[in-house]
Amino acid sequence: MGDRTRAHSGAADGAATPCPPASVRNVVLVGHSGSGKTTLVEALALTAGAVNRAGRVEDGATVSDYDEIEHRQRRSVQLSLVPLEWDGHRINLLDTPGHADFVGELRAGLRAADAALFVVSAAQEADAVAGAARTVWEECAAVGMPRAVVVTHLDTARTGFDAMTGVCARILGGDDPDAVLPLYLPVYGPEGADGHRRATGLTGLLSGRTGDYATGVRREGPPEPGRLPLIEEARGRLIEGIIAGSEDETLLDRYLGGDDIDLATLTGDLEKAVARGVFHPVLAAAPAAPGARQGLGTVELLDLITAGFPSPLERPAPVVTAPDGSARPGIGCDPEGPLVAEVVRTASDPYVGRISLVRVFSGTLRPDATVRVSGHGLTGRGHQDHDLDERIGSLSSPFGGQQRVLDHCAAGDLACIGRLTRAETGDTLSGPDDPLLMEVWPMPDPLLPLAVRAHGKADEDRLSQGLARLVAEDPAMRLEQNPDTGQLVLWCLGEAHRDVALDRLRGRHGVQVDAVPYRVALRETFGGPARGRGRQVKQSGGHGQFAICEIAVEPLPAGSGVEFVDKVVGGAVPRHFVPSVEKGVRAQAARGVVAGHPLVDIRVTLLDGKAHSVDSSDAAFQTAGALALREAADAAPIHLLEPVAEVTVLVPDTYVGPVMSDLSGRRGRVVGTEQTGAGRTSVRAEVPELEIGRYAVELRSVSHGTGRFSRAYARHEPMPQAVAERLRARESGQESGNG
């Protein structure tokens, strides 16, 4: 695996040729930002002949397919597909953003793929790699994804290949570090002018042969004699790791008994262990030098993908049900089976409109066919349930800036569909006569609020449509019309996610919006009992207005709302006007009595009043009730109530102390901690929501990108007086500035 020299069997114009499921490999590239994923995609595509650097002329300018892919993917924060061919196999490379804000795109890539290349950079500090890598590795492990590790940037390494392999084994291997071992050792050339030694080849530990890339094309030969002891030591460890993950229980006894296990057996067991996800080989790779045809390690990687990674036939398909939720038989990767495909990415192109990237899990998708588009709804994220028929247009496969037409897309493969106007990311496409719905993949919970408003009158009409399209493309965003503050809030995963949302609204959807401060839903309540008298007496020709009422107000326990009690005796307030007083009291409570926040947790008792046989009316008593409540508020302390959230933070044990200290600094109360295994601790706390508006961003700083949290509303409770005064002063300053 990787020790055989092969010429590429695909070319640029062959990338759109459909393949049977057994010959398809869907591979997602994952890793932290700056690890070199996109550069690795380019290097693999160049080696496979799917792109070129020769340059072609378009509109008077010379461009290359290589540069086209580089430009499009470097500016993209969405899942990107690059198909290529190698040794009779179709390889779909899915490049994911490395930033933590785009974990939704990562999960979409994991859903569409059958194996992963986990990319780490030797140019970054080992501790930084460890923190970022652990989170992504756990995402892969959660879905049982087979993985291989690729170390990049060896020419500018701060951490050598051996040391980085050790870091990966320690951090990623968990309880079994021997499940993460190198398959090749890099061979280095002389030291350059910059002080770095450039890797020029790789020695296969199983075959004992060296692939030399110094000329720009891989040449195979024997290793240098001086490296044999190093190779033998690493080879022994690798063989032990392969045997430990082997399904052949006799292999260990044979090895311990001194048998020389043949190369074919070791290679076969290695390939099976990789496909089963119990062994994760480590390789090295580098882009091709100027003028070269192959980059370091690219042939070995392509061979690993075709020989060691599973085909779609070997991976279980997601669970399906009928759209109404009733059970349906499971599906398999059968081109002749019922059609089941899933939209894993939705993008808008200024020239061709909406483009949907779909993975076909069963059946065969054909151009101009009518399909059933079924969506889970996710109403909490601004999506509605839908189950409707739609006719698809052409099928295509991306190639640089072009789309290569496909005549069909069979089970196990991926394709792009243009102008599928009603489908959203996560939707299922199935046959209209046999509609099915796939189990949705887990969506990350967006916890950073972005309050927006239309910039001008012309933008108001386009705002709702633009936001709807935005959340259709990215289900990791959640749209909310806050009922308490009236704000339109787009919940995002972090600052980068927020900036992309604003950029897409303005640039892609033509909506100019202003980001405004997010307002937390505060409440008001009485700090003690008080009385108030409302007097509405006016005479201005014709019927006048006459209504007087006297009320008593007393605070109630949290969560009681507004309670109204009638204790009028003797008909001082006629019975048919008592509901009018209550209506006025409740309307004033909803508007607030001091700072404009709803008044809650009080009992209002109507004690007395006066009426006029002619001039009293429903409106007059409503006004009197509101005035009475306002007068009572002047006679009692009014407390601001702030929402408190139940926050659960999951972090490595190393960061428990800093996280607890940070929560305490946010006026939080830590209510418990719990060990969750694998060196992680769950910290539970109650924290005022005013203090965690940016916690999605700030937790990353405290935990070095390793922590995550969830939040849920707990209750409203009194705000400390000093905090309330600062808040009022800040709000007054904002109002003065706006004026």
Side-chain angles (χ1 to χ4, degrees):
M1 183 161 47
D3 294 323
R4 302 173 294 277
T5 303
R6 295 177 179 172
H8 72 270
S9 58
D13 56 0
T17 304
C19 287
S23 299
V24 174
R25 299 292 184 271
N26 297 311
V27 181
V28 61
L29 284 87
V30 301
H32 55 87
S33 294
S35 61
K37 296 185 299 298
T38 299
T39 303
L40 180 59
V41 170
E42 296 159 1
L44 292 173
L46 182 67
T47 295
V51 296
N52 65 79
R53 277 176 164 166
R56 51 186 167 80
V57 176
E58 284 189 359
D59 299 328
T62 301
V63 297
S64 70
D65 298 322
Y66 185 96
D67 294 333
E68 182 75 29
I69 289 177
E70 179 179 21
H71 174 68
R72 287 167 62 86
Q73 292 189 216
R74 286 194 184 281
R75 64 178 180 161
S76 174
V77 290
Q78 282 190 308
L79 182 71
S80 300
L81 169 65
V82 175
L84 51 90
E85 290 188 9
W86 184 259
D87 194 34
H89 291 76
R90 164 76 169 258
I91 301 176
N92 291 313
L93 297 177
L94 294 152
D95 188 9
T96 61
H99 197 287
D101 280 7
F102 304 105
V103 65
E105 300 292 330
L106 167 64
R107 292 182 181 177
L110 293 175
R111 177 64 157 232
D114 302 305
L117 288 178
F118 192 87
V119 186
V120 297
S121 172
Q124 295 192 344
E125 297 288 352
D127 290 343
V129 171
R134 187 198 300 266
T135 302
V136 182
W137 187 265
E138 289 173 352
E139 290 280 347
C140 297
V143 296
M145 182 68 68
R147 284 147 280 165
V149 180
V150 185
V151 180
T152 61
H153 300 152
L154 291 177
D155 53 340
T156 57
R158 294 184 184 181
T159 306
F161 178 80
D162 292 341
M164 183 55 69
T165 300
V167 169
C168 292
R170 185 180 74 252
I171 299 300
L172 310 179
D175 297 333
D176 187 12
D178 285 340
V180 182
L181 292 171
L183 196 57
Y184 300 86
L185 294 183
V187 178
Y188 293 93
E191 185 175 296
D194 58 0
H196 292 288
R197 298 176 62 200
R198 180 171 171 265
T200 59
L202 296 174
T203 299
L205 295 180
L206 292 183
S207 68
R209 303 285 288 174
T210 295
D212 186 0
Y213 287 85
T215 63
V217 177
R218 187 179 184 275
R219 298 284 186 266
E220 188 172 296
E224 298 177 3
R227 289 174 50 83
L228 291 178
L230 178 66
I231 294 170
E232 283 303 314
E233 179 183 353
R235 185 176 190 271
R237 248 192 106 185
L238 174 63
I239 291 174
E240 291 175 5
I242 294 172
I243 291 174
S246 175
E247 294 180 310
D248 184 353
E249 297 179 357
T250 67
L251 202 59
L252 178 61
D253 293 335
R254 290 169 53 197
Y255 179 71
L256 294 177
D259 284 3
D260 186 14
I261 311 298
D262 63 275
L263 178 60
T265 299
L266 289 173
T267 302
D269 270 35
L270 171 63
E271 292 171 351
K272 292 176 183 176
V274 172
R276 285 166 39 229
V278 299
F279 186 79
H280 313 292
V282 183
L283 300 89
R293 285 172 46 198
Q294 296 174 335
L296 175 77
T298 53
V299 171
E300 286 80 0
L301 267 175
L302 291 168
D303 282 347
L304 169 68
I305 290 170
T306 55
F309 279 175
S311 74
L313 295 170
E314 301 170 74
R315 294 280 293 166
V319 175
V320 296
T321 64
D324 62 6
S326 58
R328 294 296 302 271
I331 58 171
C333 186
D334 180 6
E336 302 301 323
L339 175 63
V340 181
E342 187 171 33
V343 179
V344 294
R345 187 203 67 194
T346 307
S348 297
D349 187 281
Y351 301 105
V352 299
R354 181 176 292 189
I355 299 176
S356 302
L357 175 64
V358 300
R359 159 78 189 257
V360 181
F361 287 92
S362 173
T364 299
L365 193 62
R366 300 186 186 280
D368 300 320
T370 298
V371 298
R372 177 66 59 87
V373 179
S374 304
H376 293 270
L378 302 174
T379 53
R381 294 175 182 260
H383 301 254
Q384 298 299 318
D385 287 326
H386 51 276
D387 187 32
L388 44 88
D389 290 346
E390 186 169 3
R391 185 175 179 179
I392 66 174
S394 61
L395 300 179
S396 61
S397 181
F399 179 70
Q402 307 172 33
Q403 294 287 334
R404 297 294 179 88
V405 176
L406 291 170
D407 58 13
H408 70 275
C409 182
D413 213 342
L414 291 102
C416 291
I417 304 175
R419 304 184 186 279
L420 193 59
T421 57
R422 299 182 182 180
E424 302 179 356
T425 300
D427 280 359
T428 302
L429 309 182
S430 59
D433 299 329
D434 186 21
L436 296 170
L437 185 63
M438 298 186 70
E439 180 184 47
V440 71
W441 69 76
M443 302 289 183
D445 194 10
L447 296 169
L448 181 70
L450 169 65
V452 297
R453 66 184 177 198
H455 180 71
K457 183 68 176 175
D459 299 302
E460 292 180 0
D461 298 334
R462 297 193 298 266
L463 180 58
S464 60
Q465 186 180 30
L467 288 171
R469 289 177 177 173
L470 197 65
V471 296
E473 295 174 6
D474 187 354
M477 292 180 181
R478 175 164 57 89
L479 184 61
E480 172 192 66
Q481 180 80 51
N482 192 299
D484 296 309
T485 65
Q487 285 188 314
L488 197 59
V489 182
L490 194 63
W491 289 86
C492 306
L493 295 173
E495 289 181 312
H497 200 210
R498 176 201 63 193
D499 293 343
V500 166
L502 289 172
D503 182 65
R504 287 178 181 168
L505 277 174
R506 294 163 181 160
R508 184 179 295 177
H509 302 298
V511 183
Q512 293 296 319
V513 297
D514 297 323
V516 297
Y518 171 70
R519 297 200 302 271
V520 170
L522 302 178
R523 304 280 189 269
E524 300 173 356
T525 194
F526 274 60
R531 290 196 173 208
R533 186 171 189 265
R535 185 175 184 275
Q536 175 70 355
V537 179
K538 291 185 179 180
Q539 185 69 45
S540 57
H543 286 295
Q545 298 183 45
F546 188 94
I548 297 175
C549 64
E550 295 183 8
I551 63 171
V553 183
E554 56 185 313
L556 292 177
S560 300
V562 177
E563 182 181 325
F564 184 85
V565 178
D566 173 22
K567 287 191 176 182
V568 174
V569 295
V573 177
R575 306 308 307 162
H576 59 283
F577 286 136
V578 171
S580 302
V581 176
E582 180 179 0
K583 189 174 181 180
V585 166
R586 291 188 180 278
Q588 185 63 54
R591 293 191 297 268
V593 291
V594 174
H597 305 296
L599 185 66
V600 296
D601 302 335
I602 57 170
R603 176 184 292 124
V604 178
T605 304
L606 178 60
L607 302 174
D608 200 358
K610 293 181 180 179
H612 189 277
S613 59
V614 176
D615 292 339
S616 290
S617 65
D618 171 69
F621 271 102
Q622 283 191 47
T623 303
L627 291 171
L629 186 61
R630 285 158 58 183
E631 183 177 283
D634 291 337
I638 302 299
H639 294 164
L640 275 182
L641 302 177
E642 60 180 340
V644 175
E646 293 179 351
V647 175
T648 302
V649 186
L650 184 65
V651 289
D653 296 342
T654 308
Y655 300 107
V656 170
V659 165
M660 293 177 64
S661 177
D662 179 71
L663 290 172
S664 298
R666 298 173 185 275
R667 300 190 285 124
R669 296 183 295 273
V670 175
V671 297
T673 61
E674 182 181 354
Q675 291 290 325
T676 61
R680 285 183 170 265
T681 298
S682 175
V683 180
R684 293 180 292 109
E686 295 180 344
V687 191
E689 289 191 9
L690 280 170
E691 306 292 341
I692 56 173
R694 287 178 45 80
Y695 195 58
V697 176
E698 290 154 348
L699 175 61
R700 289 178 188 165
S701 176
V702 174
S703 66
H704 291 206
T706 60
R708 58 180 182 268
F709 80 106
S710 61
R711 58 187 282 181
Y713 170 78
R715 62 188 175 277
H716 274 73
E717 63 181 34
M719 181 186 297
Q721 187 64 30
V723 177
E725 290 175 357
R726 288 199 302 269
L727 181 63
R728 290 190 181 107
R730 185 166 69 246
E731 290 178 345
S732 297
Q734 289 175 353
E735 291 175 1
S736 300
N738 293 336

